[in-house]
Amino acid sequence: MAAWKRSMSASRAALSHLERTAHQPRQNGLHEVILSKIEKVNPSIRLLQLTIPNRASFGVTQFLPGQWLDVFIPGLTKAGGFTITSTPRDAKPQPSRDGYVELAIQDSPKNPPAAWLWRPIPEILGKSLLIRVGGSFVWPPPAMNAEDVKRLILVAGGVGINPLISIFSHIYSQPALKPEHIRFLYTSRGSSQAINEILFYSRIQKLMSSRPSPNRKLELYLTGMSNASYVDESQGSPTEEVSVRHRRISHKDLITALGPVDGRKGVVTYVCGPAKMTDEFVDVLKSAEGMTADRVLCEKWW
């Protein structure tokens, strides 16, 4: 079974983004955006802001947190697929700024769209791109009314954080912050970079600190490191809402995050990360007592 899954993953990886997602819902029309801002998060990740002209704003703002974009780049025959990391509210123009969508792009020389978006900044800043919204890994969960979700578990591995930061930020942007109970389990490979260079760590911490609650926690799991002082000596050190652990996420961590069995009817989980991690964690969560498959959602791009 494991060998069959690996073979299927390899076959899907060879397909283009449009081929892999042909079965997914997506908008009909294309919308023009302007690549207006590029920010380097760390040596391998860039944040891009795509400004939305007013004439295109209606179509682009009609997306749900967790969705992705088909991105059509000048000179390339095939579109790239990149998850939206901002919120629908960000896409709406404000008196002080234009509406925009944000993407986090990993440096991937073998992926032509990503490679183009990692060209020298003066070559691409201000360029026009065409985008289309798609995807079904969304908040609120399709099988459940958002008001019925009492506990939300977000599990991210590496750049699998991208759709989850959109969901998390959207929830925090609402006047009534619900669900009240949120656990965010985020695993990232450590390096010599400061903790605030881990993708979206600072954003999550800032959101949690803005509306603190003992019922909302981030658990950051750092792997590939032996020096625990990495956290203590860096900016953005842990707070009451944030804990940092130097190990992988365990099955016990997942089960603990679900909370008491008698309250799991109101629990929804979202999982996004590398293939092996996602498949493993989804199996654990689906088989947990009190959970059902329709309340364990995952994003797969393989």
Side-chain angles (χ1 to χ4, degrees), residues 9-84:
S9 296
S11 297
R12 286 182 61 80
L15 300 175
S16 70
H17 161 70
L18 293 180
E19 292 168 328
R20 287 196 306 274
T21 61
H23 64 291
Q24 290 280 334
R26 51 176 29 96
Q27 292 179 349
N28 292 323
L30 297 176
H31 307 283
E32 182 185 10
V33 293
I34 306 298
L35 179 50
S36 57
K37 183 178 179 180
I38 301 173
E39 176 187 349
K40 188 175 181 180
V41 178
N42 57 47
S44 62
I45 300 288
R46 278 181 172 181
L47 284 184
L48 310 183
Q49 276 192 13
L50 308 179
T51 296
I52 307 165
N54 286 336
R55 64 182 181 278
S57 62
F58 177 78
V60 182
T61 58
Q62 304 308 299
F63 74 88
L64 293 172
Q67 289 191 295
W68 37 254
L69 296 179
D70 298 329
V71 180
F72 295 84
I73 292 172
L76 298 184
T77 58
K78 295 184 178 181
F82 305 103
T83 301
I84 302 170

Side-chain angles (χ1 to χ4, degrees), residues 161 164-165 168-169 172 184 186 199-210 217-218 220 241-242:
I161 188 72
L164 303 186
I165 191 62
F168 186 75
S169 300
Y172 263 79
F184 205 142
Y186 178 17
L199 183 60
F200 297 125
Y201 170 81
S202 296
R203 186 177 300 183
I204 297 169
Q205 186 187 46
K206 184 177 180 180
L207 287 169
M208 285 188 154
S209 298
S210 69
K217 300 284 188 180
L218 168 66
L220 180 63
E241 294 83 23
V242 179

Side-chain angles (χ1 to χ4, degrees), residues 162-175:
N162 289 350
L164 303 186
I165 191 62
S166 177
I167 292 170
F168 186 75
S169 300
H170 170 75
I171 289 172
Y172 263 79
S173 74
Q174 303 305 299

